[in-house]
Amino acid sequence: VKLAKVDSDTLTLLEEAEGGFDQFTRSYKSYGVQRMPDNSLVFKEWAPAAEALFLTGDFNGWDNFSHPYTKKEFGKWELHIPPKEDKTPAVAHNSKLKVSRSGERLFRISPWAKYVTRHEKSVIYDWVHWDPPQPYIHKHPRPQKPRSLRIYESHVGIASPEGKVASYSNFTHNVLPRIKDLGYNCIQLMAIMEHAYYASFGYQVTSFFAASSRCGTPEELKELIDVAHSLGIIVLLDVVHSHASKNTEDGLNHFDGSDSCFFHSGPRGEHSLWDSRLFNYSGWEVLRFLLSNLRWWMEEYRFDGFRFDGVSSMLYHHHGIGSGFSGDYAEYFGLQVDEDSLVYLMLANHILHTLYEDCITIAEDVSGMPTLCCPIQGGGLGFDYRLAMAIPDKWIQILKEFKDEDWNMGNIVFTMTNRRYGEKCIAYAESHDQALVGDKTLAFWLMDKDMYTNMSTSIPMNSVIDRGIQLHKMIRLLTHSLGGEGYLNFMGNEFGHPEWLDFPRVGNNESYHYARRQFNLVDTDHLRYWQLYAFDRDMNRTEDKYGWLAAPPAYISVKHEGDKVIVFERANVIFIFNFHPTNSYSNYRVAVGPPGKYKIKLDSDGIQYGGHGRLDHNTEFFTEPMEFNNLPNSMLVSKLYYFLP
């Protein structure tokens, strides 16, 4: 509640000093470079420690001193450049610019730069003035917020079977149709904010307002989002406000020559594990920069919300380094909590949800901070969802450490359901974290080298592939139905992508071989990847029909350790899982809610999904309790209707 008061006080200050948060968060319309109605250009920066600023570039033949900024109050600098004699802007669209400080040869990029590019043989990025004569105009309205969130986590650069950086246009034309077909209604785009080091996966941001030029132009990204909207798919940006790259020449670091500016000075301003800089969230101009950054992506590109990266690092002075979280409330409400960061996140959520009714925000927090997804008025941080980060860790632990016969049904169910009531979670069996080199995807843990030689339907299925395919489906369905109020999948994992993810770097001879997604495997009819794809598609489509993600938590009736059976009911749907490695069961009795008629709607043992087809899908069950003959690995039974008592 005290933090809610601080948040309210900050909003009051914004009203008094800036005319309210609406105007404050539109500062991208006054900072950086702006073209006026008469085609004059106004350049504005905040550099409190600088003694002088100069603009140079193609427009003035790279003269270092011909265009000085004028110093204003509060560390701000401005430069006005009139139009040329023919009334066109003095700085043309697509021309290069740099900012320099007095007496230094170091050229800088404006923190507000909207587009930056790098020449193929260069290490440093260039600030490119982006002011196209025919900017992209969005044609389609934002879709309404989905009742059930099914997220396809995506990286545009790897979204192609080819060994290269894939484009926004490739994603628009070749990947969006797949996402629509699979039944996902939300895309979470990674690595959009410009980052100089490709292998950082987009988490070492250098230019916060610039969409990554590796994949194309800003207009092509806008088209991608617009086409997604036309398909009824919302798009979230993986936003990185938890830290920034240490780069100086093409990053924020030392922009005004000081150790602080946007960051804390000294040790508080550095993340020792990430080798990056940490924002000073109490700084007025830092708030202007970050909150305007959120507004920019919502307004200019029409994103529908954000997945906030690294929230655990933001929440604590120790950034989670060397700290385990047992769930004791003293770990969350002590002096180790960074209140400046908390207030920033509250401000961000308050402003976003006030301005955009259907905006969605997701927190990546591994610590389990209470109230993260509670209303700000009650002292919460105001996120809509949090990532259920314990679930993928549990699946990896089980596959690495336990034999099939030793799986603990109660422990699995506990992990799936261990969340605070009223705080919505995004469940996932694996995300990009599990796909990275040094780890393995679930498909690779399950099937390993056999994926290279035994995935053809033209040869008999061996025991490794049989087990792997069945467990791959069951793990996903159990996570999808029991683990949260939303579901996430990383691109390619829906069909069991056979290899890890590794970006070009010195250690792999700058190879793109593992920085791609082999969608061609799904398109090859005789490979079993298609069967996993089909199950993932039908799982999402079934959820879309019955809406279990939007339903209250499941009622669990069976966690049988001997039989290795889990049974629960959610959204008037009965889920039955048999995880026993060898046993099938005849006349298996299952408790249900109201009596009525039940029919099998999704069966992971279906032949079309690489199963053995042991169930008759035309069978209708009238009894209570139900009796299933020859219970296979997993299936989903939906109530068509039921009789009132």
Side-chain angles (χ1 to χ4, degrees):
V1 175
K2 182 185 79 170
L3 288 172
K5 176 68 164 60
V6 175
D7 176 67
S8 177
D9 290 345
T10 306
L11 289 171
T12 301
L13 286 173
L14 283 174
E15 191 70 40
E16 295 172 352
E18 302 281 348
F21 64 74
D22 186 19
Q23 186 171 330
F24 185 67
T25 57
R26 291 183 184 271
S27 293
Y28 58 82
K29 290 191 172 185
S30 56
Y31 283 74
V33 55
Q34 308 296 328
R35 178 161 57 89
M36 299 293 104
D38 65 351
N39 278 341
S40 63
L41 297 172
V42 178
F43 295 79
K44 185 175 182 180
E45 301 294 346
W46 177 66
E51 295 181 3
L53 287 185
F54 299 89
L55 183 71
T56 184
D58 294 334
F59 77 102
N60 66 0
W62 294 95
D63 187 317
N64 291 349
F65 302 106
S66 63
H67 287 78
Y69 285 73
T70 301
K71 189 171 185 178
K72 303 292 184 180
E73 59 182 352
F74 307 120
K76 296 168 185 175
W77 299 81
E78 286 189 8
L79 168 63
H80 294 250
I81 303 180
K84 294 189 291 188
E85 290 184 2
D86 61 1
K87 304 301 181 183
T88 59
V91 180
H93 165 63
N94 227 14
S95 59
K96 294 180 181 179
L97 296 167
K98 290 282 188 178
V99 177
S100 65
R101 296 193 300 265
S102 59
E104 295 186 16
R105 293 187 176 275
L106 183 66
F107 294 98
R108 306 302 305 267
I109 291 175
S110 168
W112 301 80
K114 308 302 192 295
Y115 189 53
V116 298
T117 62
R118 179 178 64 86
H119 189 272
E120 186 177 349
K121 295 182 179 180
S122 175
V123 176
I124 304 300
Y125 274 74
D126 294 307
W127 174 16
V128 174
H129 178 51
W130 191 258
D131 187 18
Q134 294 181 321
Y136 186 85
I137 299 174
H138 292 267
K139 304 175 183 65
H140 305 283
R142 286 189 173 103
Q144 289 186 332
K145 183 190 297 187
R147 64 166 187 166
S148 297
L149 201 59
R150 302 183 298 275
I151 303 172
Y152 197 77
E153 185 185 31
S154 305
H155 185 294
V156 171
I158 68 170
S160 165
E162 300 180 62
K164 64 178 184 180
V165 179
S167 67
Y168 296 124
S169 294
N170 166 73
F171 197 94
T172 301
H173 299 292
N174 297 323
V175 183
L176 283 181
R178 295 181 187 272
I179 297 172
K180 176 65 175 178
D181 179 62
L182 280 164
Y184 291 94
N185 55 22
C186 175
I187 301 168
Q188 181 178 299
L189 283 183
M190 310 174 61
I192 294 297
M193 303 167 76
E194 190 60 89
H195 47 293
Y197 184 43
Y198 190 43
S200 75
F201 222 149
Y203 292 123
Q204 291 283 351
V205 176
T206 45
S207 291
F208 284 74
F209 286 82
S212 180
S213 59
R214 288 182 183 86
C215 301
T217 67
E219 311 311 298
E220 288 166 338
L221 174 57
K222 293 173 186 177
E223 181 186 26
L224 185 162
I225 295 169
D226 197 26
V227 173
H229 287 169
S230 75
L231 297 173
I233 299 171
I234 66 170
V235 187
L236 306 182
L237 174 68
D238 195 348
V239 69
V240 186
H241 281 184
S242 50
H243 64 128
S245 168
K246 269 189 174 179
N247 286 19
T248 52
E249 197 164 347
D250 53 9
L252 294 182
N253 198 15
H254 293 275
F255 176 71
D256 67 345
S258 73
D259 183 43
S260 52
C261 198
F262 291 97
F263 310 111
H264 289 290
S265 60
R268 190 180 177 189
E270 298 197 9
H271 197 294
S272 58
L273 288 185
W274 296 345
D275 193 32
S276 55
R277 296 303 311 271
L278 298 173
F279 288 104
N280 175 8
Y281 299 104
S282 64
W284 192 261
E285 294 302 322
V286 178
L287 288 178
R288 181 195 306 277
F289 181 79
L290 293 176
L291 293 173
S292 295
N293 187 236
L294 297 174
R295 192 80 188 273
W296 162 258
W297 293 109
M298 292 291 289
E299 290 285 340
E300 184 73 12
Y301 287 92
R302 303 288 299 276
F303 278 95
D304 301 286
F306 302 95
R307 178 263 201 186
F308 281 75
D309 176 71
V311 168
S312 301
S313 174
M314 299 174 70
L315 294 176
Y316 310 98
H317 292 295
H318 54 62
H319 309 300
I321 300 173
S323 299
F325 292 90
S326 65
D328 190 313
Y329 278 6
E331 297 166 347
Y332 306 116
F333 301 113
L335 295 176
Q336 70 274 27
V337 175
D338 188 335
E339 291 190 4
D340 292 340
S341 298
L342 261 69
V343 170
Y344 166 68
L345 291 171
M346 294 168 75
L347 275 173
N349 276 309
H350 172 78
I351 291 169
L352 287 170
H353 289 105
T354 301
L355 293 171
Y356 311 98
E357 184 180 358
D358 284 344
C359 178
I360 293 174
T361 59
I362 302 171
E364 187 219 22
D365 168 42
V366 72
S367 76
M369 167 68 81
T371 75
L372 200 65
C373 302
C374 289
I376 294 170
Q377 295 83 349
L381 271 69
F383 284 97
D384 295 291
Y385 299 88
R386 67 192 310 156
L387 293 178
M389 302 185 72
I391 294 176
D393 291 344
K394 174 57 63 177
W395 286 125
I396 295 295
Q397 180 200 20
I398 289 172
L399 294 179
K400 287 172 66 174
E401 300 178 8
F402 293 94
K403 298 178 181 178
D404 290 357
E405 57 267 27
D406 295 331
W407 286 26
N408 186 305
M409 300 295 102
N411 184 252
I412 292 172
V413 168
F414 174 78
T415 303
M416 293 290 158
T417 57
N418 184 24
R419 56 189 185 273
R420 294 182 184 89
Y421 184 80
E423 287 198 275
K424 294 189 288 188
C425 290
I426 303 293
Y428 57 105
E430 52 186 336
S431 68
H432 71 272
D433 288 326
Q434 288 71 40
L436 289 170
V437 65
D439 204 341
K440 293 181 183 179
T441 62
L442 290 180
F444 224 56
W445 279 113
L446 288 164
M447 294 176 278
D448 207 72
K449 63 181 184 296
D450 282 68
M451 298 187 75
Y452 295 113
T453 56
N454 291 288
M455 287 295 278
S456 174
T457 57
S458 61
I459 62 174
M461 183 188 290
N462 70 15
S463 59
V464 172
I465 297 297
D466 190 13
R467 170 184 177 269
I469 285 181
Q470 310 320 321
L471 284 177
H472 194 271
K473 293 177 290 187
M474 293 171 68
I475 286 170
R476 273 165 165 66
L477 181 56
L478 184 61
T479 303
H480 201 304
S481 54
L482 190 59
E485 289 69 39
Y487 177 74
L488 178 143
N489 168 66
F490 179 63
M491 64 186 309
N493 287 354
E494 71 277 1
F495 63 84
H497 197 278
E499 291 173 337
W500 54 89
L501 183 60
D502 189 16
F503 288 85
R505 53 188 174 85
V506 175
N508 63 14
N509 295 318
E510 304 296 336
S511 171
Y512 283 89
H513 180 76
Y514 296 110
R516 60 195 180 109
R517 297 282 92 178
Q518 299 181 57
F519 293 114
N520 54 297
L521 296 175
V522 179
D523 299 332
T524 306
D525 293 340
H526 70 273
L527 295 180
R528 297 191 183 277
Y529 297 103
W530 164 252
Q531 296 169 340
L532 293 176
Y533 176 99
F535 181 78
D536 199 84
R537 176 197 63 203
D538 292 351
M539 176 176 66
N540 282 323
R541 291 181 179 181
T542 307
E543 194 287 327
D544 187 59
K545 181 175 182 179
Y546 296 101
W548 59 72
L549 287 170
Y555 175 77
I556 300 151
S557 58
V558 176
K559 295 175 288 184
H560 200 294
E561 299 301 340
D563 293 347
K564 301 299 179 192
V565 169
I566 297 172
V567 181
F568 57 90
E569 182 172 342
R570 190 177 184 189
N572 286 336
V573 178
I574 306 294
F575 295 85
I576 306 171
F577 293 85
N578 173 17
F579 279 99
H580 202 287
T582 58
N583 291 358
S584 289
Y585 304 104
S586 297
N587 302 317
Y588 203 87
R589 297 167 66 83
V590 176
V592 298
K597 183 168 70 171
Y598 299 81
K599 187 176 178 64
I600 298 168
K601 300 299 290 185
L602 183 64
D603 173 17
S604 74
D605 195 45
I607 294 174
Q608 71 273 33
Y609 309 134
H612 299 279
R614 289 168 288 194
L615 278 173
D616 180 2
H617 289 198
N618 294 318
T619 302
E620 293 181 346
F621 304 91
F622 292 89
T623 57
E624 182 198 4
M626 292 187 289
E627 293 184 359
F628 289 102
N629 291 319
N630 197 18
L631 183 63
N633 291 116
S634 74
M635 61 182 174
L636 181 157
V637 181
S638 74
K639 295 178 184 174
L640 298 183
Y641 63 86
Y642 54 82
F643 299 114
L644 295 175

